[in-house]
Amino acid sequence: MISNLSFVTPTPDSPWGTYLMQVDQVTPYLGHLARWVETLKRPKRALIVDIPIELDDGTVAHYEGYRVQHNMSRGPGKGGVRYHPDVTLEEVMALSAWMSVKTAAVNLPYGGAKGGVRVDPKKLSQKELEKLTRRYTSEIGFIIGPQQDIPAPDVNTNGQIMAWMMDTYSMNVGATATGVVTGKPIHLGGSLGRVKATGRGVFVTGREAARRINLELQGARVAVQGFGNVGSAAGELFVQAGAKIVAIQDHSGTIFNDNGFDLAELMPHVRATGGVGGFKGGEKMNAEEFWDVKCDILIPAALEGQITAERARRISAKLVLEGANGPTLGSADDVLADRGILVVPDVICNAGGVTVSYFEWVQDFSSFFWSEDEINVRLDKIMVDALKRIWTVADEHKITLRTATFAVACERILTAREERGLYP
């Protein structure tokens, strides 16, 4: 008996709808494992919690929180926590499902999970943010743990929030449990290289893809949407490789410089003001004009659903590197494929973050820490090997890298499902 889930109403362009379409596209390549494919279309567990906190002015506010564990056939859940006013259960479900695919694509011993709180963190004081984080952690505490489900930073969350989560969980279990979250400060069992790991993974997969299509990085024009942790780290590495960033868009504005931005001037401005808007070393652009900028490489590293079919027709890039999760709508994917634009999909492109989170988790268990050089070398090897395997499948079946990544990952997930069998 197969029926749709009653608690979501996916549309073609919603994150969950996009994910379901991706699963449908990969099903023909799963062979006998296709009998298990429904496993991928429903999360193992979805928890919705109420988070009441007393604000600084004495009033009590309530926030909605989620933790979704999509699939744990291959190991404990792994996935970030985002604080955003527009977070929904459906979005968190999709993000958790993409984490299942992502961890399997790079062959980490994890399943996929994700968390979220419907809140605008910019409207909270530091004290209120701490209360929100600690209460949220307590509410989801019985389903997370170093061997159960390991949260990490995502949109609007950072090392400090992970420190509060770790401390809250540790207080509740009566022992310091550094392995319950990753992306922690270094002093609390965090890993060197973790902060820039996602951006580094975008660069590594981008470098390999550029080599495949004979795109020279020296002098290549790069446009970056979203200049937070991921976009800025990837941008810096491309500039070091000889490319130039000609356009950047974030929540504070859109800027353009035909000769390429001077990051030595731009980065201090971003740190001081929280965004690229108002930077004097470039001209201001209309937000929609960003998609018309002449570039070789486009890095969408903001939120999901940014590349629509209409925008996909205007993109001039030869290579799209998905730094964000789900930035390209299904209809846009088809347009980009028809136009011969290579897309390195999120589920491999931004997997650098979860890979170094895995390194952090391993280091926490062994209480033995590696140098940043060791971490970067290991990250590079895992990403390159994973991409090679995916490219082989793409060439073999003449399918897109996205479908090939899903084919590799879903085969691993469903093989684990089949070998474990159904309990009881």
Side-chain angles (χ1 to χ4, degrees):
M1 168 64 185
I2 294 171
S3 60
N4 293 327
L5 298 170
S6 64
F7 51 88
V8 285
T9 49
T11 62
D13 288 345
S14 72
W16 185 246
T18 299
Y19 165 75
L20 291 177
M21 191 187 72
Q22 291 164 346
V23 172
D24 287 340
Q25 284 172 338
V26 79
T27 305
Y29 305 99
L30 294 177
H32 75 280
L33 292 169
R35 74 180 284 248
W36 295 97
V37 81
E38 278 298 309
T39 305
L40 301 170
K41 295 185 177 182
R42 46 203 68 220
K44 172 184 174 66
R45 184 180 288 126
L47 178 65
I48 305 172
V49 298
D50 175 42
I51 307 163
I53 63 165
E54 187 176 335
L55 300 178
D56 295 343
D57 65 6
T59 59
V60 175
H62 289 257
Y63 300 94
E64 207 172 298
Y66 313 100
R67 187 71 187 175
V68 176
Q69 296 166 343
H70 172 259
N71 187 287
M72 290 151 113
S73 297
R74 302 179 70 252
K78 188 82 194 78
V81 174
R82 66 174 49 182
Y83 288 175
H84 197 278
D86 298 329
V87 164
T88 63
L89 174 63
E90 199 167 304
E91 178 189 41
V92 176
M93 278 170 54
L95 292 166
S96 72
W98 283 322
M99 282 303 299
S100 295
V101 175
K102 195 180 299 181
T103 53
V106 285
N107 214 6
L108 302 179
Y110 287 139
K114 204 76 176 188
V117 178
R118 278 179 78 89
V119 62
D120 182 352
K122 296 180 187 70
K123 293 182 176 170
L124 297 184
S125 69
Q126 189 76 346
K127 195 74 205 153
E128 290 167 339
L129 197 58
E130 181 177 351
K131 285 180 181 176
L132 177 93
T133 301
R134 288 184 181 278
R135 182 61 188 247
Y136 169 67
T137 307
S138 294
E139 294 292 349
I140 65 166
F142 66 99
I143 65 165
I144 63 171
Q147 306 278 11
Q148 288 172 277
D149 179 2
I150 306 111
D154 194 69
V155 175
N156 293 331
T157 55
N158 55 23
Q160 176 59 74
I161 285 169
M162 292 306 111
W164 290 330
M165 289 191 79
M166 185 205 89
D167 182 68
T168 304
Y169 181 86
S170 297
M171 290 297 119
N172 285 334
V173 299
T176 299
T178 52
V180 67
V181 293
T182 56
K184 302 180 294 297
I186 300 296
H187 298 296
L188 296 176
S191 176
L192 295 168
R194 172 64 188 89
V195 172
K196 293 193 170 179
T198 309
R200 180 173 288 277
V202 172
F203 170 73
V204 169
T205 52
R207 181 191 68 204
E208 298 302 307
R211 198 175 287 159
R212 282 278 186 144
I213 62 172
N214 298 317
L215 172 61
E216 186 65 54
L217 288 187
Q218 187 66 41
R221 295 165 64 89
V222 181
V224 184
Q225 189 201 35
F227 210 62
N229 192 358
V230 180
S232 63
E236 283 181 302
L237 289 165
F238 274 108
V239 169
Q240 285 170 23
K244 57 183 183 179
I245 301 176
V246 294
I248 305 173
Q249 178 175 88
D250 70 5
H251 62 91
S252 66
T254 307
I255 55 174
F256 175 76
N257 184 330
D258 200 46
N259 299 315
F261 290 103
D262 181 347
L263 294 190
E265 289 181 9
L266 176 60
M267 295 310 293
H269 172 85
V270 172
R271 281 192 287 272
T273 65
V276 300
F279 178 60
K280 297 289 186 281
E283 54 190 274
K284 190 179 173 190
M285 283 175 84
N286 173 304
E288 203 49 44
E289 288 175 324
F290 173 80
W291 304 100
D292 300 313
V293 168
K294 186 174 174 298
C295 64
D296 301 300
I297 299 172
L298 171 66
I299 306 175
L303 291 170
E304 56 268 11
Q306 295 300 300
I307 302 180
T308 60
E310 190 269 329
R311 286 173 176 169
R313 291 186 190 96
R314 291 153 49 195
I315 290 169
S316 64
K318 301 177 183 75
L319 187 56
V320 175
L321 306 174
E322 294 189 336
N325 290 310
T328 309
L329 298 180
S331 52
D333 242 350
D334 297 339
V335 173
L336 294 172
D338 290 345
R339 294 189 57 214
I341 297 171
L342 179 65
V343 178
V344 181
D346 50 1
V347 280
I348 179 66
C349 189
N350 68 31
V354 72
T355 302
V356 178
S357 273
Y358 167 62
F359 296 165
E360 181 178 330
W361 184 70
V362 168
Q363 292 169 88
D364 285 340
F365 273 123
S366 60
S367 297
F368 180 80
F369 291 83
W370 312 338
S371 71
E372 189 157 359
D373 284 346
E374 281 179 287
I375 282 160
N376 289 341
V377 167
R378 287 175 176 183
L379 169 63
D380 206 306
K381 180 166 172 33
I382 284 179
M383 297 292 285
V384 171
D385 288 353
L387 193 57
K388 272 185 189 156
R389 168 91 182 92
I390 288 160
W391 228 300
T392 301
V393 170
D395 291 344
E396 190 183 319
H397 294 292
K398 297 190 171 37
I399 50 180
T400 64
L401 281 186
R402 188 182 316 279
T403 304
T405 308
F406 267 74
V408 169
C410 294
E411 182 183 340
R412 286 175 179 156
I413 295 166
L414 298 181
T415 298
R417 171 75 282 164
E418 184 171 68
E419 287 173 346
R420 287 180 67 156
L422 295 175
Y423 172 85

